[in-house]
Amino acid sequence: VVPDELGEPDANYDVTLMLLSPTDDVYEVGSIPGPYPTNYRIQDVSSDGQVALMWSWDDDQNFFWLLDLQTMTLDPYPAPDSAWSARFGRDDSSLLVEQRFTTQQPSGWWRTDRIMLSRIALDGSEPQRVVDLMISPERQEVASYFTWVELYSGEVATTDDGIVNLRASDGRLLRQLDTPSPECTLVRQWSDSDHLARCPDPEQVSGCWTNGLFLIPATGEASAQFAVPSSTDVCFAGYVEAVSLAGELALQRVQGEGECTHVIEITDGTSSSTWQPGNEPLCDSNLIGVRNAAWLALGSRYEGPGVLYEITADGRSRPITPTTLPSSWNFTGVTDVHIIGVA
């Protein structure tokens, strides 16, 4: 994304999609020319790497697009009213679409009244309702921790009113899953039998927010602590992501409130260190996944370009995209990254 010379977004700039091969060759797939809503983001990529699901926002509305990565043809996707987010189903033949129905209050804030999650086939057949959750004005926090993850099997785990439920692909409730505390949010599937979830630490200090990672078995067995911050120096701290590699674990940690709070820690279970690419600290570091037997992370300095880094299990790293791209306040060099073919 290239801003204009004043550092402000230009409605006529192009969004360029790049393909990075396993051997670090960079191919320009193509560009989406302006003018258009100037905030395209990649929501998901089909498992065969043929189609990208794009999202944009304009005039208080969300728009979804299907981008053919072979022809760079961008077609609007007729998402249902109040669509909030969407991802491809496991077999790429459908989308899981989350809708949020809201009402603007006299004070200006938006109240969430209802959340629906539906499986919508790309051939236009009748949608399957997975979740239909009504939210009272007194329980608005329910909307903030509603999350969902589709499993390898096609079953769907959802957080409904503080409870993690496992549902069949058509929405039938299979079982309630154990959590260490209410208000957990699902991160992703960790293994064939476990979900990775963010949950409030049951032992957190009153008035503080300490968030840990827990494994939630799909069988309904007891949940298990995975990673919880040990430091008591910061009242607001927590882990939000974890990726394993060759016996080592990379954790994405939030430390404090405000900007520049996300860091990556690497641990072998007995000791840990904070990763930094050189002497100048990053503003934020976000774990993406594993590629070429190394972690992939998106890092940025304050008002600087987003740069992809490869991090080996021993903590060594190198940038694999340019570190000197044009940048302005919220138009970074690299904004979205998806590893194709990885669940």
Side-chain angles (χ1 to χ4, degrees):
V1 174
V2 180
D4 70 9
E5 61 184 5
L6 299 177
E8 296 295 331
D10 179 354
N12 293 303
Y13 69 68
D14 296 345
V15 168
T16 301
L17 277 80
M18 313 296 292
L19 184 65
L20 183 69
S21 77
T23 56
D24 291 348
D25 296 315
V26 178
Y27 302 94
E28 182 175 327
V29 178
S31 296
I32 305 173
Y36 49 76
T38 57
N39 48 13
Y40 270 110
R41 293 291 184 267
I42 303 173
Q43 283 256 307
D44 200 4
V45 177
S46 61
S47 60
D48 60 6
Q50 299 297 304
V51 180
L53 176 64
M54 309 292 291
W55 169 92
S56 64
W57 178 89
D58 192 32
D59 292 334
D60 294 328
Q61 294 185 54
N62 293 328
F63 297 92
F64 296 87
W65 314 79
L66 292 174
L67 177 66
D68 187 315
L69 296 178
Q70 301 299 312
T71 64
M72 289 304 293
T73 303
L74 185 70
D75 293 317
Y77 172 71
D81 291 342
S82 302
W84 177 268
S85 66
R87 291 198 292 270
F88 281 102
R90 287 293 179 190
D91 62 358
D92 293 337
S93 66
S94 64
L95 294 179
L96 281 163
V97 179
E98 178 184 336
Q99 297 166 265
R100 295 196 174 210
F101 299 89
T102 58
T103 304
Q104 189 171 22
Q105 303 303 294
S107 60
W109 72 279
W110 291 84
R111 185 187 71 206
T112 302
D113 303 311
R114 185 182 187 185
I115 296 177
M116 292 196 304
L117 179 65
S118 303
R119 186 183 300 275
I120 303 177
L122 293 177
D123 64 8
S125 56
E126 189 69 20
Q128 288 183 323
R129 186 66 42 79
V130 179
V131 173
D132 191 348
L133 182 63
M134 303 300 297
I135 302 175
S136 69
E138 296 78 21
R139 295 293 312 281
Q140 287 297 291
E141 70 276 8
V142 171
S144 65
Y145 51 73
F146 176 81
T147 50
W148 52 274
V149 172
E150 186 181 24
L151 311 188
Y152 306 141
S153 62
E155 295 170 337
V156 182
T158 63
T159 50
D160 310 348
D161 199 7
I163 298 171
V164 178
N165 287 318
L166 185 67
R167 299 177 179 275
S169 60
D170 60 4
R172 288 179 294 109
L173 180 63
L174 299 177
R175 67 184 66 92
Q176 180 178 328
L177 304 183
D178 181 74
T179 58
S181 57
E183 303 181 7
C184 292
T185 56
L186 294 165
V187 178
R188 57 188 173 83
Q189 187 167 5
W190 181 256
S191 66
D192 288 342
S193 58
D194 293 319
H195 306 85
L196 188 66
R198 294 187 292 266
C199 302
D201 181 1
E203 299 180 1
Q204 66 185 355
V205 177
S206 176
C208 291
W209 173 84
T210 307
N211 197 32
L213 292 174
F214 293 80
L215 292 179
I216 312 296
T219 58
E221 296 176 84
S223 58
Q225 179 177 305
F226 187 77
V228 174
S230 58
S231 173
T232 58
D233 297 334
V234 178
C235 188
F236 296 90
Y239 291 118
V240 297
E241 178 61 289
V243 180
S244 61
L245 173 68
E248 304 281 325
L249 186 68
L251 295 161
Q252 182 178 328
R253 176 178 175 134
V254 179
Q255 185 84 1
E257 295 182 287
E259 298 178 314
C260 300
T261 58
H262 288 249
V263 299
I264 292 176
E265 295 179 356
I266 299 175
T267 179
D268 60 4
T270 58
S271 62
S272 64
S273 60
T274 300
W275 169 76
Q276 288 289 350
N279 297 324
E280 185 178 353
L282 293 173
C283 176
D284 279 313
S285 303
N286 297 280
L287 275 171
I288 305 298
V290 171
R291 167 187 174 271
N292 286 354
W295 289 298
L296 195 65
L298 180 61
S300 63
R301 293 184 171 87
Y302 186 70
E303 296 191 6
V307 177
L308 272 179
Y309 290 91
E310 183 181 88
I311 310 169
T312 59
D314 60 6
R316 292 179 294 120
S317 64
R318 65 184 181 93
I320 55 177
T321 60
T323 59
T324 57
L325 292 170
S327 171
S328 62
W329 176 62
N330 64 348
F331 289 84
T332 54
V334 178
T335 56
D336 297 289
V337 182
H338 285 258
I339 303 176
I340 297 174
V342 177

